[in-house]
Amino acid sequence: MNKKLRKAVIAGNWKMNKTRQEAAALINEIKPLVAGAGCEVVVCVPFTHLETALAATAGSNVKVGAQNCHWAASGAFTGEISAGMLADLGVGYVIVGHSERRQYFGETNLTVNGRVRAGLDAGLTVILCVGELLEEREQNITEEVCSLQTKIALAGVSKAELQNIIIAYEPVWAIGTGKTATAAQAGEVCGFIRGVVAGLYDQAAADGLTIQYGGSMNAANAAELLAMPDVDGGLIGGASLKAPDFAAIIKAAND
Ligand code: PGA
């Protein structure tokens, strides 16, 4: 398996943080630090900041993503945002199935699948999040959980469409806790997920799929995590809110 077959993608997940003004300022700070990066750089900002982020990133190598989208194209879904609306703005990426959505907003594997489908149909690149809870790791069912989440989320996704999918392996116990998975743990599960994808499609499709690790990745631990053969990038929460830290992770991906 050749890591060079895949594009490295470092994506910031800003979650529910920053005013619009702060968002523009952070992007303006990030841009010169990551200009010429060898990996893809994405910032996933709150819906209300998408236009600000698109304007601030115009002409740069920083891409803009959203943090969720609805499964329907339109309709009576008060408070929701469709993938088509995101594409209409010029947004290129969307995070789907983040564990905070699963934990706090009743997201299920089936609704995640619907949102993946909607993102692809709108022409977005979907960052699909999977990962086990601490109890699940302790019960030795990490692989079962990640396999189930991956298989259901990708139901109905063709091999060609897989090119617009990035999988982010995010062990829930590592998110926002400062408790990073070891490089070995991250590499092992990312490799396992690649095997699941190979089983669903074929080895070539799996070899071309970008799989990120996420969960307390930071400037200090990024290089070790990104050096693992099956870890092709990162989905970064806390550390993506500080330009020097985010840039250091991107530098680690380039190296
Ligand atoms: P964290 O968040 O880097 O703050 O742990 C990662 C994520 O939730 O995507």
Side-chain angles (χ1 to χ4, degrees):
M1 281 195 237
N2 190 347
K3 213 171 175 174
K4 294 212 163 62
L5 291 171
R6 307 186 274 273
K7 59 177 187 280
V9 182
I10 302 292
N13 174 10
W14 288 14
K15 310 193 180 184
M16 195 172 71
N17 289 294
K18 304 280 176 196
T19 64
R20 272 190 308 160
Q21 204 179 2
E22 289 165 350
L26 178 55
I27 288 168
N28 285 327
E29 210 185 329
I30 290 170
K31 276 192 299 184
L33 299 177
V34 308
C39 65
E40 230 164 87
V41 180
V42 187
V43 289
C44 298
V45 305
F47 288 128
T48 49
H49 301 4
L50 287 168
E51 281 195 281
T52 301
L54 286 163
T57 55
S60 79
N61 60 327
V62 180
K63 310 269 176 43
V64 175
Q67 299 171 14
N68 189 23
C69 66
H70 195 260
W71 57 81
S74 63
F77 299 103
T78 302
E80 290 290 316
I81 305 282
S82 76
M85 291 171 180
L86 298 175
D88 182 46
L89 278 181
V91 169
Y93 296 75
V94 64
I95 298 172
V96 168
H98 190 278
S99 64
E100 286 151 16
R101 302 288 323 166
R102 295 178 192 257
Q103 242 181 316
Y104 306 131
F105 303 101
E107 202 76 71
T108 66
N109 287 329
L110 289 174
T111 58
V112 169
N113 176 239
R115 293 178 204 261
V116 168
R117 189 64 265 156
L120 292 174
D121 287 343
L124 304 178
T125 294
V126 173
I127 301 176
L128 162 66
C129 301
V130 302
E132 80 286 3
L133 302 170
L134 180 60
E135 304 87 283
E136 292 166 339
R137 177 161 283 267
E138 286 170 353
Q139 286 161 19
N140 263 319
I141 55 169
T142 295
E143 293 189 345
E144 284 85 343
V145 170
C146 291
S147 169
L148 195 73
Q149 290 179 349
T150 301
K151 285 181 177 173
I152 298 177
L154 294 180
V157 173
S158 72
K159 194 159 98 174
E161 288 172 327
L162 202 62
Q163 290 174 10
N164 294 320
I165 298 272
I166 293 167
I167 294 185
Y169 166 56
E170 297 207 308
V172 180
W173 47 272
I175 294 177
T177 56
K179 209 174 164 213
T180 320
T182 63
Q185 286 171 326
E188 190 186 351
V189 183
C190 288
F192 171 78
I193 292 167
R194 196 178 306 286
V196 170
V197 173
L200 288 174
Y201 301 90
D202 58 31
Q203 194 60 51
D207 284 345
L209 176 73
T210 296
I211 302 184
Q212 300 172 317
Y213 167 77
S216 301
M217 194 190 271
N218 58 40
N221 61 27
E224 198 190 346
L225 289 159
L226 293 168
M228 299 308 288
D230 280 301
V231 179
D232 308 312
L235 183 56
I236 324 295
S240 73
L241 297 172
K242 293 181 208 116
D245 294 34
F246 190 53
I249 295 168
I250 287 155
K251 187 175 178 306
N254 289 338
D255 295 346

